[in-house]
Amino acid sequence: NQAAEKVEVSVKDIGYIVATGVGMEYITFANQKVLESLCLAKGIDFVLPSTRTLLDLGARKSLVLSCQGGKAIKMATSGRCAAGSGAFLEAAVNILRVNIHEMDELYFKANKNLEIQSTCAIFAESDIISLVHGGAKPEDILRGVFRGVAGRIYSQLLELGLEKDVAVTGGAAKSKAMVAALEEKVGFKILVPE
């Protein structure tokens, strides 16, 4: 109902519902359940058809997808650890006691490139706490966090094979800091659909 209202469509006018992603099995009213990677490939082809590599940065994981013409060709997903995800970014701002809406602004104010390279979220959180106790500024720590996440995602990109155009979706794609850190890593502009 909320989704239909947002796009100004009557629920009665919806003829077919596809469920995807985490929890799709709980959408009992769906006509079909489709893997997230297939939906992402179709969706990005509709919105940004020049995309050949898609990064989906979700709360629990990051997914890198090679796609063309609405078809998923190959994919690589982050491991079980949350260090390459939106949940990790949220944990970092909680440790730093800053508002999640301030993280972009703080990233661009940073003067130092601190390294937070732990591939495990728990160890990375420990690194952040150590930096806080060592007197590092929150903005410098946040830049290190974003650059660390971008580094882990870049490894996934290399594993899959990086091909332009690259687009990013998911909750973390709303972060200008996350996109800037990724662009710094890949060395070119990344597309972000509205």
Side-chain angles (χ1 to χ4, degrees):
N1 287 336
Q2 289 173 346
E5 187 177 303
K6 191 171 186 175
V7 294
E8 299 175 0
V9 171
S10 169
V11 174
K12 295 174 196 161
D13 293 333
I14 298 173
Y16 200 81
I17 297 173
V18 175
T20 190
V22 177
M24 70 179 168
E25 63 274 5
Y26 300 112
I27 311 300
T28 56
F29 55 85
N31 300 94
Q32 183 181 5
K33 294 169 174 61
V34 178
L35 292 175
E36 184 177 19
S37 57
L38 302 176
C39 289
L40 286 165
K42 280 196 180 296
I44 202 64
D45 188 60
F46 180 76
V47 179
L48 294 170
S50 66
T51 301
R52 295 296 168 264
T53 307
L54 176 64
L55 309 172
D56 183 51
L57 307 179
R60 296 182 181 183
K61 69 177 178 353
S62 57
L63 174 72
V64 181
L65 191 64
S66 175
C67 52
Q68 188 167 5
K71 294 185 180 358
I73 299 165
K74 292 188 290 185
M75 71 177 212
T77 188
S78 60
R80 294 181 184 192
C81 188
S85 68
F88 176 66
L89 295 174
E90 195 170 315
V93 295
N94 288 338
I95 293 168
L96 295 170
R97 294 191 174 115
V98 297
N99 185 310
I100 198 158
H101 302 291
E102 296 174 284
M103 66 184 184
D104 282 351
E105 183 182 331
L106 288 171
Y107 172 88
F108 292 107
K109 286 183 179 178
N111 294 315
K112 293 182 181 175
N113 287 324
L114 301 176
E115 295 295 321
I116 300 173
Q117 295 297 323
S118 296
T119 56
C120 171
I122 303 298
F123 292 136
E125 287 179 16
S126 178
D127 290 347
I128 294 167
I129 292 166
S130 294
L131 288 167
V132 168
H133 289 298
K137 293 181 179 178
E139 56 266 29
D140 294 332
I141 296 171
L142 267 175
R143 179 173 282 179
V145 166
F146 278 108
R147 291 179 82 229
V149 171
R152 288 184 283 285
I153 293 166
Y154 185 63
S155 295
Q156 284 179 264
L157 280 168
L158 293 179
E159 176 186 326
L160 188 75
L162 180 59
E163 187 181 347
K164 286 185 180 180
D165 281 342
V166 175
V168 62
T169 62
K174 294 178 182 179
S175 166
K176 288 178 178 26
M178 186 72 256
V179 174
L182 286 166
E183 288 176 340
E184 180 184 324
K185 210 67 171 150
V186 299
F188 55 81
K189 189 97 173 114
I190 292 176
L191 305 174
V192 181
E194 287 183 40

